[in-house]
Amino acid sequence: MTNLSILIIVPILTAIAVLFCRNTMQIKWTSFIGSIVQLCMASGLMFSYISERALGNTAQMLFQQRYSWYSALNIEYFVGVDGISVAMIMLTSFVVVAGILISWSVQTLTKEFFFLLLLLSVGAYGFFISLDLFTMFFFLEVAVIPKFLLIAVWGSGKKEYSAMKLALMLMGGSVFVLIGLLTTYFNTNINGLHTWDLLQVAHAQIPLQTQMYIFPFLFVGFGVFTALFPFHTWVPDGHSSAPTAASMFLAGISMKLGGYGALRVATYLMPEAAQEYSWIIVLLATIAIIYGSFATLMQKDLKYMNAYSSISHCGFILLGIGMLTKIAIIGAVLQMVSHGVMTALFFGAIGMIYERTHTRQLSDLGGLLKVMPFIGTVYVITGLCSLGLPGLSGFVAEMTVFVGAWQRPDAFHRTATILAAASIVVTAVYILRAAGKAVMGPITNQHYLELKDANWNEKFASVLLIIGILAIGIAPFWLYNLIAPDAQIIMENLTRGGIVN
Amino acid sequence: MNTDFFILMKSEMSLTLMIFILLILKVWDEIKDNTTWLYLVNFMLLLNFAIGFMFNGDGSLFNGMFQNSPTLALEKNILNFGTLIISLLAFDWLKSHKHVPEFFMLLLSTLLGMFFMMSSGNLLMFYLGLELASIPLAALANFDLEKTKSSEAAVKMILLSAFSSCIMLFGISFLYGCTGTLNFAELPSLLGSGHLQILSLILIFIGFAFKLSSVPFHLWTADVYEGAPVTVTSYLSVISKAAIAFVFISTLSPLFINLQSMWYNILFLSIILTITVGNLFAIRQDNIKRFLAFSSIAQAGYILLGLSAGNQMGSTAIIYFLLVYLLSNLGAFGVIGLVSALADKENISDYKGFYKTNPMLSWVLAISLFSLAGVPPTAGFFGKMFLVTAGASKGNYILVIIASLNMIVSLYYYLRVVKAIFVDPNENPIAKVEGSLSSKVGMIVCMTGVIIVGFASNIYDLINQLTH
C-alpha cells in the first residue's frame, strides 16, 4: 500500500531542510536530492498504481487515506489517486527536478528562492492528490505567495507589474472557484450533512438549475489558471517576467492545475451543466487557440513567444474538455502532460540562452547551434514538439484531441475542430522562423563565439524532460492506458440520465 | 456569598487585583526601573491568562445582572491572551516611557470594562461596562504625551465614543419604555415588531457599529489609529473590536432575532459597505497605521458576515476568526511598533528595502499580512474561509460573491506592502532594528499561532462545542 501523504511531506521537509542550510551549495543539493527522492516516489507510485490495476483493483481512486479535519464542517483530509492524477504527479515531479537544476546559478537570496520553489510544488502535489474539495482549494491557493514573490523578487523586466497582475488574476480565479465550491457544498445532502467529498458530490444529484449556476463559476475560476480566453492576459506578462524556474513551474504545473480542476471538478461534478455550456467552452477554446497562435507570430521576444503559444496550446486542453467525448478528454489530459513537459523544456532552453546572451530578442540572436550545440538542439527539439512533429509528445496529444473532436459530427464542432487544426500551420510558421533565426542562421554577434555550452545540471534537466517528451511521443500507449479508464468514468457521469430541473 | 461568586467572576477579580497591585506599588514608589515594571506586569498577565483556563463555571449572579458561561470564559481568555501579547510587544516602546504603571492600570480597566460588558445580563450593566471600556481608551490614545497628533486622536476618540454611547443610550431608553425591562432574559419574549422597538434596536446597533467601526460609522477610526501610539492602536483594533464582536454573538444577538428580515437587510447593507469601503480606502494609504486601520474596517465587515449567518456555524467562525485575526494583526503591529519605537518610521514607503536590513522582521510582517489577506497556509485562510462559509449558509450568494471578490482587492493592498518590503529598492532603508527579548517572544507566539492554528482543527472543534 502506497502512502500518498509522503508526496506532500517530502517537499515540505525538503523546504524546511533548506531553511537550515548554511551555504548555497548545501541549499542547492538539498533541494536537488529532495526533488529526486520525490521523482523516485512519483515513479514508484505510478508503478504500484499500474500493478494494482493489473491485479484487478477497480476502485475509482486508489491508495485512499482519509482523516477527519474540521469535523463540524465535514472537512476531511481525503486523498487518493486515479490514472489522471498519477500522470499529473509524474509531470510535476519531472518539472520540479528540472526547474531546480536549471536554477543552479541563482545568486541572490538563494535560500528563499529554493524554499519558495519547493512550497510551490507542495501546492501542486497536494492539489493533484486531494479528493476533498476544501483541501483541494487550500492547495490551489498555497501557490499564491510563492508565485508572487518568485516573480517580483527574482524576475526581470516589468516584474512588479507582472507579479501583481498574475497574483490578482489567479486570486480572482480562486475566488470564483471558492464561490462555486461553496454553492456545491451547500447543495449537497448526504444523510443530512453537506459534503466536500469529491466522489460523493459526483453522485449528489444536484438539480440542473443549480448546476447551471455553479458550473460557470467553477469552470471560469479554473479557466483563469489555464489561460481561458479572455482571462489569459496574466500569461504573457507573468511568464516572461518570471525567472526561468518559475516560468517552468507556472507553465508546466500551475496552468495544469486549472486544466485538471476544469476537468475533475467542474466537468465531472456538474456533468449536465457541462453539456449545456459545452458550446461556449468550445468557442472560447477555439478563439484561444487561434488568437494565441497569431499573437505568437507577432512576438519578438522568445519568452513572450512561448507564453502566447502556451495560451494556444492550453486552448487544446479546454477544447478537449469541451468536446465531451471520451477520446477528446483523454486528449486533453495527454495535452496537459505533454504541454507541461514541453513548455518547461522550452522555458528552460530560453532561460539557458538568455543567461548566456543576455537577450531574448529574436532579432539579436543567431547561429546559436554553432556555439552552443546542446542548447540549440534542445531548443529545436522542443520547437518541433510544439508544432506537433510525429514521434514527439505534442503530436500524440493534439492528434488525440482532434480525433476526439471529430467524433462530434455537427457543423459547429466540425468547424471548431478544423479551425483548431489549422492553427498548427501557424504554429509551424513561428516555431520554424524562431528556430531558423536564433539557432540555425548565421552568428549575428561575435561576442557569442565565447559562450559556453550547457553545464551538467542544465544537461541533466534537459535530458530528463526530453525523455518525457520521447516517452509520450514514441510510446503513448502506457500513458493512454493509464488515463483511459478514468476518462471513461468521467464520460459515464457525463452521459448519466435522471437529472431534471 | 459562596464559592460561585469567586468562580464566576474570577477573570474580573483577577484583573481588579492586578489593578490594585499596580496602584499600591506605584504609591509605594519603590520600583524605579521600567524593566522591572514591565516584567512584573507580563508575569501577572501570564498568570491571569493561566487562571483563565481554570475553574470555569456556568451561572449568573446578582439577580441575573452578571452571567458567565464556558463560552464567555473562553472569549475572555482570548482577550487576556491578546493583552499579554500586546504587553510583550510594547516593551521597547514603554521601557523609556515615564508612566508605565499608569498605562497598564488604564489598559486593564478597559479590559475589565469589556469583561463586564460581555458578562452583562442587563442593559444597565452592559452600559456600565461599555463606558468603563471606552473612557480609559481615550486616555490611552493620548499616551504619547508630547505628540499633538496623539492628543488630537484622544479628543476625537472621546467625543465620538461619547456620541455613540449617547445614541446607544437613547436606544436603550426607548427599549425600556416599550418593554419595561432591561433584563436580557426577559427582553426577547417582550419584543415584537412595533416601530418604536425597531427604532430602539437600530439605535443600539448604530452604537455598536461605531465601536466596531463599520461603515458608515467608521470615520473616526483612521485618525485615531494614526494618532495613537502603536500599542494602543493594536489594542483598539484587536481587543476592543473582538470584545464588541463577542458581546454581540454571546449576549446581544437574541435581542435582534425578532427583527428577522429587517435585521438581515441592515446587516447585508452594512457588510457590503464596510468591506468595500474599507478595502477601497486601504488602497490609498501611505501611513502604515492608517493602512491597517482601513484593513481592519474591512475585516470587521467579514465579522459581520459571520454574524449575518445567525447560527452556530457563524458564532464559531467569528470566535475562531477573531483568534486568528488577533494573532496575525498583533504580529504585524509588533513589527510596526518596533520600527516606530526604535526607528521612528511609520510610512509604507519607509519600508522599502526592509528585507535587506531586517529579514526576520520582514517575514513576520509579510506572514502576518498574508494571514490578514487570507492566503494559505496561514491561519487567516481558514478564519476567512469559515466566515464566508457561514455567510453562504443562508444561501445569499450575492453577499458571498461581493465578500469574496473583495478578497482580491485586499490581496492587492497587502501585496503592495509586501512588494515594498521585498522588492522596491531603497538608498537608505530602515536600519537594523533589534527588539528586546520580550517583543521577540511576542512575535514568535504570534507566528507560531498563525502557522499552526489553521491546521490544528481541535481549536475549532473546541469553540464549536462551546457555542453549541
Side-chain angles (χ1 to χ4, degrees), chain B residues 155-444:
Chain B
V155 172
K156 251 182 200 159
M157 171 116 204
I158 191 80
L159 288 178
L160 281 166
S161 67
F163 184 57
S164 70
S165 298
C166 276
I167 292 181
M168 194 182 275
L169 205 53
F170 204 34
I172 293 175
S173 64
F174 275 157
L175 204 61
Y176 184 68
C178 300
T179 58
T181 179
L182 289 174
N183 204 329
F184 287 142
E186 296 164 17
L187 271 172
S189 57
L190 294 172
L191 283 171
S193 53
H195 291 306
L196 195 58
Q197 291 177 2
I198 291 175
L199 180 67
S200 65
L201 288 174
I202 289 176
L203 287 175
I204 292 178
F205 177 70
I206 288 176
F208 264 107
F210 258 112
K211 306 278 178 200
L212 199 63
S213 68
S214 86
V215 176
F217 310 106
H218 65 288
L219 293 162
W220 61 278
T221 322
D223 291 339
V224 173
Y225 278 28
E226 187 187 355
V230 179
T231 308
V232 181
T233 311
S234 60
Y235 187 82
L236 272 173
S237 81
V238 177
I239 308 290
S240 296
K241 200 164 267 189
I244 294 288
F246 287 149
V247 171
F248 228 105
I249 50 175
S250 302
T251 315
L252 277 194
S253 53
L255 292 187
F256 292 90
I257 284 173
N258 286 358
L259 288 177
Q260 285 165 353
S261 68
M262 178 181 267
W263 169 231
Y264 189 77
N265 290 341
I266 294 173
L267 274 180
F268 178 74
L269 262 180
S270 186
I271 292 165
I272 293 179
L273 281 175
T274 307
I275 298 182
T276 317
V277 171
N279 274 338
L280 292 181
F281 277 79
I283 292 177
R284 299 190 58 84
Q285 304 306 319
D286 187 46
N287 182 295
I288 197 152
K289 278 151 77 187
R290 277 185 92 86
F291 163 78
L292 280 175
F294 280 106
S295 96
S296 83
I297 292 175
Q299 307 277 4
Y302 285 97
I303 296 172
L304 289 176
L305 179 65
L307 199 62
S308 76
N311 53 19
Q312 189 207 353
M313 196 195 265
S315 319
T316 314
I318 291 178
I319 299 179
Y320 182 82
F321 175 80
L322 283 168
L323 174 65
V324 173
Y325 172 73
L326 181 149
L327 289 166
S328 23
N329 223 1
L330 289 184
F333 272 118
V335 179
I336 293 165
L338 211 52
V339 171
S340 160
L342 301 178
D344 205 23
K345 300 253 170 88
E346 283 187 356
N347 283 340
I348 294 177
S349 44
D350 295 332
Y351 279 83
K352 285 180 180 170
F354 193 52
Y355 189 64
K356 292 244 161 47
T357 47
N358 296 289
M360 286 316 271
L361 288 181
S362 301
W363 278 118
V364 172
L365 185 53
I367 292 174
S368 309
L369 293 180
F370 282 131
S371 181
L372 287 173
V375 177
T378 58
F381 169 78
F382 295 92
K384 210 161 257 186
M385 220 40 54
F386 296 151
L387 279 181
V388 176
T389 311
S393 67
K394 277 265 180 178
N396 187 341
Y397 288 102
I398 296 172
L399 193 58
V400 174
I401 289 171
I402 292 174
S404 314
L405 287 178
N406 263 295
M407 284 159 81
I408 309 174
V409 183
S410 71
L411 184 70
Y412 168 71
Y413 59 72
Y414 289 120
L415 284 182
R416 251 186 70 217
V417 181
V418 173
K419 182 174 82 87
I421 297 172
F422 286 91
V423 186
D424 289 346
N426 193 350
E427 295 282 300
N428 44 357
I430 296 167
K432 175 103 183 117
V433 176
E434 189 62 45
S436 57
L437 175 72
S438 123
S439 62
K440 276 180 191 156
V441 171
M443 283 183 217
I444 290 171

Side-chain angles (χ1 to χ4, degrees), chain A residues 196-314:
Chain A
W196 298 96
D197 181 334
L198 190 130
L199 301 178
Q200 284 182 343
V201 175
H203 305 290
Q205 308 282 321
I206 299 170
L208 178 61
Q209 207 171 5
T210 319
Q211 285 191 23
M212 295 294 278
Y213 286 114
I214 303 175
F215 184 81
F217 279 109
L218 286 177
F219 198 89
V220 170
F222 284 117
V224 174
F225 282 80
T226 192
L228 172 74
F229 185 87
F231 305 103
H232 62 278
T233 50
W234 63 271
V235 178
D237 291 320
H239 284 175
S240 43
S241 298
T244 307
S247 306
M248 291 167 72
F249 276 38
L250 273 177
I253 306 170
S254 284
M255 288 176 83
K256 307 304 170 289
L257 298 185
Y260 180 85
L263 181 63
R264 169 62 45 83
V265 180
T267 311
Y268 178 54
L269 297 186
M270 308 288 146
E272 284 76 24
Q275 299 220 330
E276 298 282 331
Y277 282 114
S278 74
W279 67 273
I280 302 182
I281 304 172
V282 170
L283 189 68
L284 292 178
T286 316
I287 294 175
I289 292 170
I290 296 167
Y291 164 80
S293 55
F294 276 104
T296 317
L297 267 185
M298 306 303 294
Q299 303 306 316
K300 297 178 176 65
D301 181 306
L302 288 184
K303 260 193 161 176
Y304 269 101
M305 276 185 63
N306 200 29
Y308 275 105
S309 84
S310 285
I311 297 175
S312 166
H313 283 113
C314 283

